[in-house]
Amino acid sequence: MTHNKYFFSGRMVAVRQTPGGGNVSQEFVPESIEAGPHEKDVLPVSQATDPYGARSFGMNPMLLESIRMSDLFWDLAKFTKFEEVVDQIYFNCVYATPWVPGTHQASRNTGMQSAVRGVSNAGTPGTMYTILLKLYIMQLTRQQIKSMLNHTDSPFIKAAGLLYLRIGMADGFKEIWSWFEPLIDDKEQFCIDGTPATKTTIGEYVRRLLTDQVLVVRARFPIERALARLMVSRMPSKAQLSGTRSFALFAPPCIPWSHTACRQAECTLLEACSDENPSQRWPNHSAVPPCELRTTSAT
């Protein structure tokens, strides 16, 4: 357990008054300037709010509160350009967990009026997720997110881009597959918590973000099942799976597709990937997934 040093300080009051910690949206340029960023290109994210009316962007409430009260979050306000914030990921992120490894207790504190005494099991918010909240406030454009997903300097920059989409994606996750699919086979390696025990690849991390409901907000049932079915179409062979920790990481449970809403969600995801400008939403593909996905009979 750690003592919440901000409980009786002015920080908590400041968080209620200024939940953004001094961080503001990035400055957009007129559309006449081709380089951007342009406000019209901003990717819509979750409009969810916390109990006090401030935007939460779909982040975990306990984690969100801890980030807002952290010194790092308030210090990030001095960085106002997208490139500066990406540099902070490059230099400071060595793990991609919500909490600093070893500081968070999953069990709930009880007894002796723990909350009143300011005793917290929240731990210290991780650098990656602290910067992630900064990025939400900045309002990233589609081009900026794409540059993060294609970044070659650090896998943690890619991971931050993936988390930005998975946690904050609005509009029923309609675009999530078109963003994630090109990275499913990415072999670049990194350690999720900074230790060799959690070494993985960007491709495996993509699959975990689409199936693991522990660290991210769960998608609505029809969308979740549609994503699972699309992932099965990209499931690697058994030979490719040899040496991995779990086959379940790649193969979601078998799903009965008699549910009308699920089939409609699958069609919605496919249609979102084949709009008038597929190069923007489906960067590495000129067509939608294989046609058999549209016509597979219900099981």
Side-chain angles (χ1 to χ4, degrees):
M1 293 184 296
T2 58
H3 189 280
N4 185 344
K5 64 179 180 180
Y6 301 121
F7 191 82
F8 295 109
S9 71
R11 177 62 58 84
M12 185 170 287
V13 175
V15 167
R16 296 291 171 260
Q17 296 175 344
T18 313
N23 294 282
V24 296
S25 174
Q26 63 180 320
E27 184 177 348
F28 299 104
V29 300
E31 294 184 19
S32 57
I33 302 178
E34 185 177 355
H38 303 137
E39 190 171 6
K40 68 180 180 65
D41 295 327
V42 171
L43 179 74
V45 294
S46 173
Q47 297 294 319
T49 59
D50 63 16
Y52 303 95
R55 291 185 66 181
S56 66
F57 306 100
M59 298 185 75
N60 175 277
M62 178 184 289
L63 176 62
L64 179 66
E65 190 76 355
S66 298
I67 291 174
R68 287 173 174 168
M69 290 194 295
S70 68
D71 293 333
L72 174 59
F73 180 59
W74 288 72
D75 290 341
L76 288 174
K78 62 187 177 184
F79 302 109
T80 58
K81 297 184 180 299
F82 169 71
E83 294 76 12
E84 295 175 339
V85 180
V86 171
D87 286 343
Q88 293 304 304
I89 300 175
Y90 176 79
F91 288 113
N92 299 318
C93 288
V94 293
Y95 53 87
T97 55
W99 308 96
V100 175
T103 66
H104 176 65
Q105 294 182 359
S107 60
R108 183 183 180 90
N109 284 329
T110 58
M112 295 186 65
Q113 299 180 333
S114 298
V116 176
R117 294 186 294 113
V119 176
S120 172
N121 65 345
T124 304
T127 304
M128 172 80 77
Y129 281 70
T130 302
I131 296 177
L132 186 63
L133 180 56
K134 164 77 173 182
L135 293 173
Y136 282 132
I137 295 173
M138 290 186 70
Q139 302 184 70
L140 300 188
T141 64
R142 296 177 185 276
Q143 291 78 7
Q144 290 172 334
I145 298 171
K146 185 176 180 180
S147 71
M148 294 180 69
L149 298 181
N150 295 332
H151 215 289
T152 58
D153 290 348
S154 170
F156 291 102
I157 297 177
K158 288 184 180 180
L162 291 168
L163 287 170
Y164 186 94
L165 292 166
R166 179 61 181 84
I167 296 176
M169 180 64 77
D171 197 20
F173 293 83
K174 290 180 181 179
E175 295 183 44
I176 194 72
W177 178 252
S178 62
W179 286 102
F180 277 33
E181 191 273 346
L183 293 174
I184 281 184
D185 297 322
D186 193 317
K187 302 299 183 183
E188 185 173 9
Q189 296 184 338
F190 73 107
C191 299
I192 295 177
D193 70 355
T195 65
T198 58
K199 179 180 287 188
T200 187
T201 65
I202 290 294
E204 291 179 4
Y205 190 62
V206 166
R207 297 174 190 273
R208 291 188 63 177
L209 287 178
L210 291 176
T211 58
D212 190 346
Q213 310 298 341
V214 176
L215 301 179
V216 292
V217 177
R218 184 170 185 168
R220 292 185 295 108
F221 175 80
I223 299 294
E224 178 185 329
R225 295 314 187 206
L227 287 170
R229 186 170 180 80
L230 289 169
M231 277 206 302
V232 168
S233 70
R234 293 296 307 275
M235 188 174 64
S237 65
K238 290 184 178 180
Q240 291 173 308
L241 286 171
S242 61
T244 58
R245 294 189 307 277
S246 172
F247 182 80
L249 183 66
F250 299 90
C254 295
I255 302 161
W257 282 93
S258 57
H259 196 296
T260 303
C262 294
R263 296 180 66 88
Q264 291 176 342
E266 182 184 11
C267 293
T268 299
L269 286 167
L270 292 172
E271 290 170 0
C273 299
S274 58
D275 59 7
E276 295 178 357
N277 187 14
S279 61
Q280 183 181 48
R281 293 187 178 182
W282 196 272
N284 296 329
H285 298 268
S286 58
V288 297
C291 296
E292 56 266 22
L293 288 180
R294 295 179 182 273
T295 58
T296 302
S297 60
T299 57

